[in-house]
Each structure stands twice: as C-alpha cells, then as structure tokens.
Amino acid sequence: MAKDYDPPMHTAEHVLNQTMVRMFGTGRCFSSHLNSGKSKCDYYFDRDLTDAEAVELEAAVNDVLARNLPVEEKVLPFAEASKLVNLSRLPKDVAARGADDAEAPVRLIFVGDYDICPCIGGHMGNTREVGRFRLISHSYTEPGGAAESIAGVLRLRFKLDLP
C-alpha cells in the first residue's frame, strides 16, 4: 500500500534527494515530513549550507523539475533491483523476503534518467507537474546524540508553487 504523501511534494523530495547526492555527496535524507503546505528533509552532513549553496541547490532542483521528466513505477525482482539501487533501507519484512527469494518484487520509482529509488508513495506523472521548488530555510545541528554521532544534521525546509 502506498504511503499517503502529497504527490507533488513527494516527487520533489526524490529530485531534492538526488540533487543533494550529486551536489554534496550526501546520502538520501534519513528523515522527512512531507505535506502540501511545506515539507522538510534531514540529511547527515558536516555543516550548514552557505547562502550561495542554498540558491544553487534551489536552482538545480528547479532545473530538473522543468525538464518534464517522466516519473514511472517499475516493479522488479529483488535481485535485479539490488543491482540498480541500495536496498538497505527497505522494511525488514521486504528485505527478508528478498533475501529468501531473489524474485520477490520491489517497487522502484524512476524520475527520468535522474533518479531511481525504492518507494511506496504516490507521485506525479512528470516533473513539470510538480511546480516550482522553493527552499525556505536551512539549518544545521552539531553532532551530539547517538543518532548523530558521525555527523550533524542539515535540515532543509521547502515549499512548492504549484503550476
């Protein structure tokens, strides 16, 4: 069953995650809160973004969204999906099925040739339907707790201006 995320925001999250990977070498966000009004994504990171980086990040996400890339669902066998993407964050029951059965299905979302990610949420049909991405703030929390022992947390808050 699909998660009940706002499809435009969820599609924007996929593009934001891949843009963070490409621009800064981060992993995908480890935590997110997505709704139609505003959303946030948290990344393990070593510092806050500069204002220039924030502007560049917003522009890069909007460049991808403007490309009108198709957003497609493909269900692949676990073994095949594991060759395309990291499946370590799958729910334990899905990962266990895949470990026992290489043919167990895994749902992947392809955002054109830009991003591939296992996902159970709803999405738009193409990136242009998402609208304009606005990074409304960013903040950094120094490492400290057990969950943040390796790196701090960069939080990005964003909105969409729908078409």
Side-chain angles (χ1 to χ4, degrees):
M1 173 173 281
K3 284 187 179 181
D4 189 25
Y5 286 147
D6 179 69
M9 276 293 190
H10 196 186
T11 305
E13 178 205 15
H14 281 261
V15 173
L16 173 61
N17 275 321
Q18 186 58 234
T19 304
M20 287 294 293
V21 168
R22 292 179 184 212
M23 286 181 67
F24 301 105
T26 66
R28 300 179 81 86
C29 66
F30 68 88
S31 174
S32 65
H33 179 77
L34 305 174
N35 65 45
S36 60
K38 66 179 177 179
S39 296
K40 63 111 178 149
C41 289
D42 293 335
Y43 299 87
Y44 291 120
F45 209 64
D46 60 354
R47 61 182 172 79
D48 198 358
L49 297 181
T50 66
D51 289 341
E53 288 170 331
V55 168
E56 184 180 357
L57 175 63
E58 180 179 274
V61 170
N62 281 313
D63 286 346
V64 173
L65 294 176
R67 289 174 45 196
N68 200 30
L69 298 173
V71 180
E72 301 173 312
E73 169 189 330
K74 295 181 183 178
V75 178
L76 300 176
F78 189 94
E80 188 177 338
S82 69
K83 294 175 186 174
L84 296 175
V85 296
N86 180 347
L87 299 177
S88 66
R89 290 181 56 186
L90 288 177
K92 288 181 182 181
D93 63 322
V94 176
R97 270 195 314 266
D100 293 338
D101 178 6
E103 295 298 312
V106 176
R107 179 180 186 248
L108 299 179
I109 299 299
F110 290 72
V111 179
D113 60 355
Y114 193 72
D115 185 55
I116 306 169
C117 181
C119 186
I120 62 172
H123 304 83
M124 302 304 289
N126 68 67
T127 56
R128 187 165 286 166
E129 294 174 344
V130 171
R132 184 178 180 282
F133 175 89
R134 285 193 298 132
L135 184 60
I136 56 174
S137 70
H138 53 91
S139 59
Y140 177 73
T141 303
E142 294 285 339
E148 302 165 11
S149 60
I150 296 173
V153 175
L154 174 65
R155 175 165 287 174
L156 303 179
R157 295 170 195 85
F158 55 97
K159 291 184 176 189
L160 296 176
D161 296 329
L162 299 175

